[in-house]
Amino acid sequence: MSGRTLADARDWAAHGTRLFLAAAETFGPAEYAAPGPLPGWSRAHLAAHLAANADALGNLVHWAATGEPTPMYASAAERLAGIERGRTLPAAELTARVRESAERLTAGLDALTPEQWRAPVTTAQGRTVPATELPWMRAREACVHAVDLAAGVTFADLPDGFLAALCEDVLAKRSAAPGPALTLRTPDDSARWYLPGGGESTTVTAELPLIAAYLTGRQHIEGAPHLGPWL
């Protein structure tokens, strides 16, 4: 986990969850029904997804704790069906599901022993990772989707350490696919990243929150090349 520790990732996951719930707890049916920035998804979809994600990561915690293979989801279809079921819940029940699923995941992680934290598990994308990667996976979901709720939280509300780690994570994925060559830097040059690709490299200078928003496909930067979907 270059540039981030297990403790960092757990703190960021908790921070993102708090931000998400602070907004969701003000939502009634109309607010949940409002469309979010993700195509075809309402805020209710986001909440149902975040709750389902906590339970799915909980399956991997169980795998790490017991050695019993427990996939995140039975299938891609099952994952989508779970989100569709969740989004139809009454507003208060849906918010409670987000909160309670996060609490279950935290309790499961708290119970892991040092040996269990090192246990290999397999993600929904088929990657084999140690259980120490699970808090980062959760932090990414909770923090980015807190922004996706479009209820006042922005990338500027997320910790700089998280944003830097997110940029590294996204760039590692984007580097594996064809795309434009790109250099990204903050105005004070305290952070700089390179994206290999075709053609002459474009240099983009922006504050860290905007770079993270751009790389994750949430906000475009004028003069920067358009990037494909992140996930």
Side-chain angles (χ1 to χ4, degrees):
M1 296 192 300
S2 175
R4 54 185 163 89
T5 67
L6 177 59
D8 287 336
R10 296 205 67 184
D11 286 346
W12 298 334
H15 181 74
T17 300
R18 286 192 297 270
L19 291 175
F20 193 100
L21 284 170
E25 285 167 353
T26 70
F27 290 172
E31 289 78 15
Y32 263 133
L38 302 185
W41 271 23
S42 64
R43 286 168 165 166
H45 283 92
L46 284 168
H49 164 63
L50 194 63
N53 172 261
D55 289 338
L57 290 173
N59 288 341
L60 297 188
V61 172
H62 176 81
W63 188 339
T66 65
E68 176 187 357
T70 316
M72 289 182 69
Y73 304 98
S75 66
E78 187 272 342
R79 172 183 174 276
L80 292 175
I83 293 171
E84 285 298 317
R85 288 192 300 270
R87 75 171 182 86
T88 64
L89 293 173
E93 189 174 341
L94 179 54
T95 301
R97 184 159 183 256
V98 175
R99 183 187 311 105
E100 291 162 4
S101 61
E103 290 171 349
R104 285 193 300 271
L105 176 59
T106 297
L109 292 169
D110 286 344
L112 292 178
T113 67
E115 182 180 4
Q116 290 166 348
W117 274 113
R118 295 189 294 270
V121 296
T122 303
T123 72
Q125 291 75 38
R127 295 188 304 127
T128 298
V129 299
T132 50
E133 191 73 3
L134 302 183
W136 169 246
M137 293 169 62
R138 180 59 177 179
R140 198 173 54 189
E141 295 283 342
C143 287
V144 174
H145 288 321
V147 175
D148 289 337
L149 280 179
V153 176
T154 71
F155 279 90
D157 296 306
L158 304 177
D160 285 351
F162 169 80
L163 294 174
L166 180 64
C167 289
E168 292 178 9
D169 190 271
V170 177
L171 282 166
K173 184 177 189 299
R174 290 195 179 281
S175 295
L182 189 61
T183 298
L184 300 125
R185 60 181 293 275
T186 54
D188 62 2
D189 218 20
S190 61
R192 184 184 286 257
W193 295 277
Y194 303 95
L195 182 64
E200 185 176 350
S201 179
T202 301
T203 298
V204 174
T205 302
E207 297 292 348
L208 180 58
L210 181 53
I211 290 175
Y214 167 67
L215 286 175
T216 56
R218 268 62 183 179
Q219 187 172 344
H220 185 64
I221 298 176
E222 186 175 357
H226 287 273
L227 302 176
W230 163 39
L231 292 174

Short mmCIF file of all heavy atoms in Angstrom, two decimals, residues 9 42-43 58-59 62 68 80-81 84 88 91-92 98 124 133 140 147 168 170 176 179 183 192 207 212 219:
data_model
loop_
_atom_site.label_atom_id
_atom_site.label_comp_id
_atom_site.label_asym_id
_atom_site.label_seq_id
_atom_site.Cartn_x
_atom_site.Cartn_y
_atom_site.Cartn_z
N ALA A 9 -6.06 4.07 5.96
CA ALA A 9 -7.20 3.60 5.18
C ALA A 9 -8.43 3.44 6.06
O ALA A 9 -9.55 3.78 5.65
CB ALA A 9 -6.86 2.29 4.48
N SER A 42 -29.92 6.95 -9.05
CA SER A 42 -30.39 7.97 -8.12
C SER A 42 -29.53 7.93 -6.86
O SER A 42 -28.65 7.08 -6.70
CB SER A 42 -31.84 7.69 -7.74
OG SER A 42 -31.92 6.45 -7.02
N ARG A 43 -29.79 8.86 -5.95
CA ARG A 43 -29.11 8.81 -4.66
C ARG A 43 -29.44 7.52 -3.92
O ARG A 43 -28.61 6.97 -3.19
CB ARG A 43 -29.53 10.00 -3.81
CG ARG A 43 -28.93 11.32 -4.23
CD ARG A 43 -29.63 12.45 -3.51
NE ARG A 43 -28.89 13.70 -3.59
CZ ARG A 43 -29.44 14.87 -3.25
NH1 ARG A 43 -30.69 14.92 -2.84
NH2 ARG A 43 -28.71 15.97 -3.34
N GLY A 58 -17.59 -7.46 4.00
CA GLY A 58 -17.74 -8.31 5.17
C GLY A 58 -17.57 -9.78 4.83
O GLY A 58 -17.04 -10.56 5.65
N ASN A 59 -18.00 -10.18 3.63
CA ASN A 59 -17.77 -11.55 3.20
C ASN A 59 -16.27 -11.85 3.11
O ASN A 59 -15.81 -12.94 3.49
CB ASN A 59 -18.42 -11.79 1.84
CG ASN A 59 -19.93 -11.87 1.90
OD1 ASN A 59 -20.51 -12.08 2.97
ND2 ASN A 59 -20.58 -11.69 0.78
N HIS A 62 -14.86 -12.30 6.53
CA HIS A 62 -15.15 -13.67 6.99
C HIS A 62 -14.16 -14.65 6.37
O HIS A 62 -13.67 -15.57 7.05
CB HIS A 62 -16.58 -14.05 6.61
CG HIS A 62 -16.95 -15.46 6.95
ND1 HIS A 62 -17.33 -15.85 8.21
CD2 HIS A 62 -16.98 -16.58 6.17
CE1 HIS A 62 -17.58 -17.15 8.22
NE2 HIS A 62 -17.38 -17.62 6.99
N GLU A 68 -12.46 -19.79 4.96
CA GLU A 68 -13.55 -20.31 4.12
C GLU A 68 -13.80 -19.35 2.96
O GLU A 68 -14.19 -18.21 3.18
CB GLU A 68 -14.83 -20.45 4.94
CG GLU A 68 -16.04 -20.88 4.14
CD GLU A 68 -17.32 -20.83 4.96
OE1 GLU A 68 -17.26 -20.52 6.17
OE2 GLU A 68 -18.39 -21.09 4.37
N LEU A 80 -26.28 -6.53 -8.78
CA LEU A 80 -27.19 -5.51 -9.30
C LEU A 80 -28.60 -5.68 -8.73
O LEU A 80 -29.27 -4.69 -8.42
CB LEU A 80 -27.23 -5.58 -10.83
CG LEU A 80 -25.94 -5.16 -11.53
CD1 LEU A 80 -26.06 -5.37 -13.03
CD2 LEU A 80 -25.60 -3.70 -11.23
N ALA A 81 -29.04 -6.93 -8.56
CA ALA A 81 -30.37 -7.17 -8.01
C ALA A 81 -30.45 -6.68 -6.57
O ALA A 81 -31.48 -6.13 -6.14
CB ALA A 81 -30.70 -8.66 -8.08
N GLU A 84 -30.93 -2.94 -6.63
CA GLU A 84 -32.30 -2.61 -7.02
C GLU A 84 -33.27 -2.84 -5.87
O GLU A 84 -34.19 -2.03 -5.66
CB GLU A 84 -32.71 -3.44 -8.25
CG GLU A 84 -32.09 -2.97 -9.54
CD GLU A 84 -32.50 -1.55 -9.89
OE1 GLU A 84 -33.69 -1.21 -9.76
OE2 GLU A 84 -31.61 -0.77 -10.29
N THR A 88 -35.35 0.59 -3.22
CA THR A 88 -36.79 0.75 -3.05
C THR A 88 -37.20 0.82 -1.58
O THR A 88 -38.38 1.01 -1.28
CB THR A 88 -37.54 -0.43 -3.71
OG1 THR A 88 -37.20 -1.65 -3.03
CG2 THR A 88 -37.18 -0.57 -5.18
N ALA A 91 -37.00 5.66 3.02
CA ALA A 91 -35.81 6.48 3.21
C ALA A 91 -35.11 6.18 4.53
O ALA A 91 -33.89 5.97 4.56
CB ALA A 91 -36.17 7.96 3.14
N ALA A 92 -35.85 6.15 5.63
CA ALA A 92 -35.22 5.93 6.93
C ALA A 92 -34.61 4.54 7.01
O ALA A 92 -33.53 4.35 7.59
CB ALA A 92 -36.25 6.12 8.05
N VAL A 98 -27.42 1.62 5.48
CA VAL A 98 -26.06 2.11 5.24
C VAL A 98 -25.28 2.14 6.55
O VAL A 98 -24.14 1.67 6.63
CB VAL A 98 -26.09 3.51 4.61
CG1 VAL A 98 -24.67 4.07 4.48
CG2 VAL A 98 -26.75 3.47 3.23
N ALA A 124 -14.05 -8.91 -6.14
CA ALA A 124 -15.05 -9.15 -7.18
C ALA A 124 -14.45 -9.04 -8.58
O ALA A 124 -14.99 -9.60 -9.54
CB ALA A 124 -16.20 -8.16 -7.03
N GLU A 133 -5.89 -4.87 2.43
CA GLU A 133 -6.36 -4.02 1.35
C GLU A 133 -7.83 -3.63 1.50
O GLU A 133 -8.30 -2.68 0.88
CB GLU A 133 -6.15 -4.73 0.01
CG GLU A 133 -6.35 -3.88 -1.22
CD GLU A 133 -5.22 -2.89 -1.46
OE1 GLU A 133 -4.24 -2.88 -0.69
OE2 GLU A 133 -5.35 -2.10 -2.41
N ARG A 140 -12.25 4.07 -0.52
CA ARG A 140 -12.48 4.56 -1.88
C ARG A 140 -13.98 4.67 -2.17
O ARG A 140 -14.46 5.68 -2.70
CB ARG A 140 -11.80 3.59 -2.86
CG ARG A 140 -11.55 4.10 -4.23
CD ARG A 140 -10.73 3.10 -4.99
NE ARG A 140 -11.33 1.77 -5.00
CZ ARG A 140 -10.73 0.67 -5.46
NH1 ARG A 140 -9.51 0.74 -5.92
NH2 ARG A 140 -11.34 -0.49 -5.44
N VAL A 147 -19.21 12.17 -2.19
CA VAL A 147 -19.23 13.27 -3.16
C VAL A 147 -20.35 13.06 -4.17
O VAL A 147 -21.08 13.99 -4.53
CB VAL A 147 -17.87 13.40 -3.86
CG1 VAL A 147 -17.92 14.47 -4.95
CG2 VAL A 147 -16.76 13.70 -2.86
N GLU A 168 -3.02 7.94 -7.13
CA GLU A 168 -2.09 6.86 -7.46
C GLU A 168 -2.84 5.61 -7.88
O GLU A 168 -2.47 4.92 -8.85
CB GLU A 168 -1.20 6.56 -6.25
CG GLU A 168 -0.22 7.67 -5.91
CD GLU A 168 0.60 7.36 -4.69
OE1 GLU A 168 0.55 6.21 -4.20
OE2 GLU A 168 1.31 8.26 -4.20
N VAL A 170 -5.95 5.35 -9.12
CA VAL A 170 -6.63 5.53 -10.41
C VAL A 170 -5.62 5.51 -11.55
O VAL A 170 -5.85 4.89 -12.60
CB VAL A 170 -7.43 6.84 -10.42
CG1 VAL A 170 -8.07 7.06 -11.79
CG2 VAL A 170 -8.50 6.84 -9.35
N ALA A 176 -2.89 0.94 -17.43
CA ALA A 176 -3.00 -0.38 -18.06
C ALA A 176 -3.86 -0.36 -19.32
O ALA A 176 -3.97 -1.37 -20.01
CB ALA A 176 -3.57 -1.38 -17.06
N GLY A 179 -4.63 5.32 -23.76
CA GLY A 179 -5.14 6.65 -23.45
C GLY A 179 -4.10 7.71 -23.74
O GLY A 179 -3.00 7.40 -24.21
N THR A 183 0.72 14.53 -17.83
CA THR A 183 1.44 14.89 -16.60
C THR A 183 0.51 15.74 -15.75
O THR A 183 -0.05 16.73 -16.24
CB THR A 183 2.72 15.69 -16.90
OG1 THR A 183 3.60 14.89 -17.68
CG2 THR A 183 3.42 16.08 -15.61
N ARG A 192 3.11 15.27 -8.13
CA ARG A 192 3.20 15.17 -9.59
C ARG A 192 3.00 13.71 -9.98
O ARG A 192 3.56 12.81 -9.34
CB ARG A 192 4.56 15.67 -10.07
CG ARG A 192 4.73 15.70 -11.58
CD ARG A 192 6.14 16.13 -11.94
NE ARG A 192 6.36 17.56 -11.73
CZ ARG A 192 6.40 18.45 -12.69
NH1 ARG A 192 6.25 18.07 -13.95
NH2 ARG A 192 6.61 19.71 -12.44
N GLU A 207 -5.29 22.07 -8.39
CA GLU A 207 -5.24 21.68 -6.98
C GLU A 207 -5.58 20.20 -6.85
O GLU A 207 -6.28 19.62 -7.69
CB GLU A 207 -6.20 22.53 -6.15
CG GLU A 207 -5.89 24.02 -6.13
CD GLU A 207 -4.61 24.36 -5.39
OE1 GLU A 207 -4.06 23.48 -4.69
OE2 GLU A 207 -4.15 25.51 -5.52
N ALA A 212 -8.05 14.85 -8.42
CA ALA A 212 -8.74 13.60 -8.05
C ALA A 212 -10.11 13.52 -8.71
O ALA A 212 -10.52 12.46 -9.20
CB ALA A 212 -8.87 13.51 -6.53
N GLN A 219 -15.22 15.42 -12.74
CA GLN A 219 -15.15 16.82 -13.16
C GLN A 219 -14.06 16.98 -14.21
O GLN A 219 -12.97 16.44 -14.05
CB GLN A 219 -14.85 17.72 -11.95
CG GLN A 219 -14.93 19.21 -12.25
CD GLN A 219 -14.82 20.04 -10.98
OE1 GLN A 219 -14.96 19.53 -9.88
NE2 GLN A 219 -14.57 21.33 -11.14
#
